Structure formats: C-alpha cells, structure tokens
C-alpha cells in the first residue's frame, strides 16, 4: 500500500483502495487543504517531490498551465503509483471532525422540489454521520466519475442521506439520477467532506445564502442551528437567489423551523427582470447579494455567513462581505458548486 509523506514527515499516511491523495489523507485525519474535491477550485494544490502519481483529470480547471509547468498537482485528482513525498501547507482547520468513509447506499425515495430540483433520499445500513453543511461524493451506476452533493438533512441514526439535486442539461450524473435511477438502486457514497459547516460556538447571528442548487447545505445549516441548544432563539436570515420565480424554493422548509417569522426569516430574489415581470413576482429583483446588503444593513457586520451556490454568486458575496464590509474571512464559510 503506498505510503504518503507530507513535508518530510510532518504527516505520514497510507493510501488504500485506489484512493486519491486528498481523501486518503483526510481519512487518516490529516489536515490537507481543499474545498471542492472535484478538481475545479485549486485549493488542494501541492508538489510531488518524490514518487509518481496518476493524474485522474489532466485538464482539471484547478491547475493553471504555470502550475503544470512547475510540476504541481491537485491532491484530489492524484492517485499514487507507489510511495510519494508531497510538499504543501497543511491546514489545521481542514482536519476532519468526522473522518470520511465509503459505504453502499440504496435509493429510498425521490420527490420533485421545483421544476428542475429533486430530493433524492439514500439509505445506508449505518448512522448518517456528518456536520450540517457538509457534502458527500456519490458514485452512480454507469457514471465513470463521482460527483459531489451536499446533504440537506441533519445527521441521523436511521442512516438517511437527503440530497437536493438540480438537473443539468446534458449532465452525466444528473441524467442518470433523474432518468435512470429508480428506488431500490444502489450507489456508493463517500463522506462527509467540506469545511463550510455550522459553527455552533460562534456567538453571532446566522446568515445563510443559497443560489440554485446551493439550497441543500443551507437548509442543513438552518436545520442544524434550529436544533442546537446553544443556538436556540438566535437570529437566522435565510436568503435564496433564483433566476426566475419558478426557481425560488426553501421557504416551506424554513417555515417548519421554530421561531419562523420572528427570529427566523426567509428572503428571496429573482435575477431575471423579464421573468419576474412576466410572472408578476412581488419580491426582490436582482442579484441575491444586493438583497442581502439591503435587508441586513448594519447587521451585516455582526453575523456569521454560510454561502453555497455557483462560483459567480459566491465571488460577488465575497466582494461584498470581505472587500466592502471588511468582514474577516474566518466568519464566511462557503462551498462553490462547480
Ligand atoms: C462541493 C460541491 C457540492 C455540490 N452540491 C450539490 C448539490 O447539493 N446539489 C446539486 O444539484 N449540485 C451540487 N453540486 C454540483 C454537482 O457535483 C455536479 O457538478 C452537477 O450535478 C452536474 O453534474 P453532471 O454529471 O450532471 O454534469 P456534467 O456536466 O456531466 O459534469 C459536471 C461536473 O463533473 C466533473 N467532471 C466533468 N468531467 C470530469 C472529468 N473528466 N474528471 C473529473 N471530473 C469531471 C466536474 O466537477 C464538472 O463540474 C456540488 C458541487 C460541489 C463541488
């Protein structure tokens, strides 16, 4: 079994079962830096200083041409051929609270949420162990590569993993999920992963901001906050950004939380003005970050932020929060959905 040595012995772990470097390290409790786990963000870049790795996605967008010329690799796309010596900066925040595991799951139920988002419930034999806001990789029958999906529910003894998945036109995994997978089908689930999870020890108000399929982890964070004794009565503002009024969702789930309408509030914005007008949308029109700024005003400066959705939404929010309002990056937790 390949042995991986990081920074001349700062961490040493084994890589089994054809794992990539990132997942093997996290399974061993090592704080390897990462965000998306699918080769797009580039946060898991490192340098192989000895040994050989197979590059699982040579065109992965997370590495620039310059990175490749310098011999850098993405640990999430590198499978060791033998022992490897790796250089990168370990991150104490990336040490997993719950170490990820692979397990077999069975599709138990499917339900439409909007015209293009469905809830898929998978059932495992062991408890579903994760932190609100985290994601897992699903290996689906007939789909060569795993895809990342965030859990919408809370950890539970019953072994249920709930996902809210948006159909992507021509998408391989979503095509399989929406058109070919019937209840009873099995898949492999590997998780949990992700650092944008609920921080119950923060004393601040909570702001969740979701765009498109980013609904799932934000629901999990909101549900986790409502269920956590230390957060009872805490102000929680939930924002959802959709393109058209038909995309807007999440309010019914928020409405079932204690304190809804008082300390728990839901706000939605639609970004396409023509679609808003055609549907006589009575709410906000424009990008969701503008609604966040208008709604929260000075309360922006006193909140803990959780964001999930497409990279342009997350980047606009980072600009608003970090650059305009000088909010410390430690108070902004996000996953970009590539
Ligand atoms: C952290 C995270 C959480 C996510 N959570 C959700 C969620 O809760 N709900 C949701 O609807 N979507 C979520 N997504 C998006 C999801 O993972 C898929 O990208 C999306 O469903 C489209 O998949 P597809 O196979 O249908 O589309 P495709 O267009 O077939 O594939 C899209 C994705 O597959 C990957 N990919 C493509 N080619 C390769 C290759 N050669 N090697 C390796 N990887 C490749 C890339 O990540 C690419 O973005 C999440 C993404 C990330 C990163």
């Amino acid at each position: 079994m390949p042995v991986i040595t990081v920074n001349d012995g700062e961490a040493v772990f084994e890589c089994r079962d054809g794992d990539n470097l990132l997942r093997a390290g996290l399974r061993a409790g090592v704080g390897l830096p990462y965000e998306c786990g699918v080769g797009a963000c580039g946060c898991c870049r490192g340098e192989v200083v000895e040994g050989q790795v197979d590059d699982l996605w040579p065109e992965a967008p997370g590495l620039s041409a310059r990175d490749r010329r310098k011999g850098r690799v993405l640990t999430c796309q590198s499978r060791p051929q033998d022992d490897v010596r790796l250089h990168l900066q370990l991150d104490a925040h990336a040490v997993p609270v719950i170490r990820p595991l692979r397990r077999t799951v069975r599709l138990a139920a499917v339900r439409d949420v909007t015209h293009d988002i469905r809830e898929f419930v998978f059932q495992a034999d062991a408890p579903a162990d994760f932190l609100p806001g985290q994601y897992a990789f699903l290996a689906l029958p007939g789909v060569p590569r795993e895809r990342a999906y965030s859990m919408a529910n809370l950890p539970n003894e019953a072994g249920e993993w709930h996902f809210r998945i948006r159909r992507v036109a021509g998408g391989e995994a979503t095509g399989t999920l929406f058109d070919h997978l019937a209840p009873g089908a099995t898949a492999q689930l590997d998780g949990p992963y992700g650092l944008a999870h609920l921080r119950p020890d923060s004393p601040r108000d909570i702001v969740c901001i979701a765009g498109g399929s980013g609904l799932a982890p934000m629901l999990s964070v909101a549900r986790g906050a409502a269920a956590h004794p230390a957060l009872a009565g805490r102000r929680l503002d939930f924002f959802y950004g959709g393109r058209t009024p038909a995309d807007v969702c999440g309010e019914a789930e928020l409405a079932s939380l204690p304190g809804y309408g008082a300390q728990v509030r839901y706000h939605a914005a639609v970004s396409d003005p023509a679609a808003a007008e055609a549907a006589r949308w009575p709410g906000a029109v424009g990008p969701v970050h503008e609604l966040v700024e208008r709604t929260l005003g000075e309360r922006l400066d006193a909140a803990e932020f959780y964001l999930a959705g497409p990279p342009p939404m997350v980047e606009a929010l980072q600009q608003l929060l970090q650059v305009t309002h000088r909010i410390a990056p430690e108070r902004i937790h996000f996953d970009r959905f590539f």
Side-chain angles (χ1 to χ4, degrees), residues 308-321:
M313 180 202 89
V314 173
E315 277 138 34
L317 281 160
Q318 280 182 294
Q319 177 75 22
L320 171 77
L321 301 175

Side-chain angles (χ1 to χ4, degrees), residues 57 145 147-150 164 166 171-174 213 337-338:
W57 190 7
R145 301 298 310 274
R147 296 288 188 269
Y149 293 107
S150 307
R164 297 281 172 108
R166 183 175 193 191
E172 249 189 312
T174 53
S213 54
F337 283 15
F338 294 99

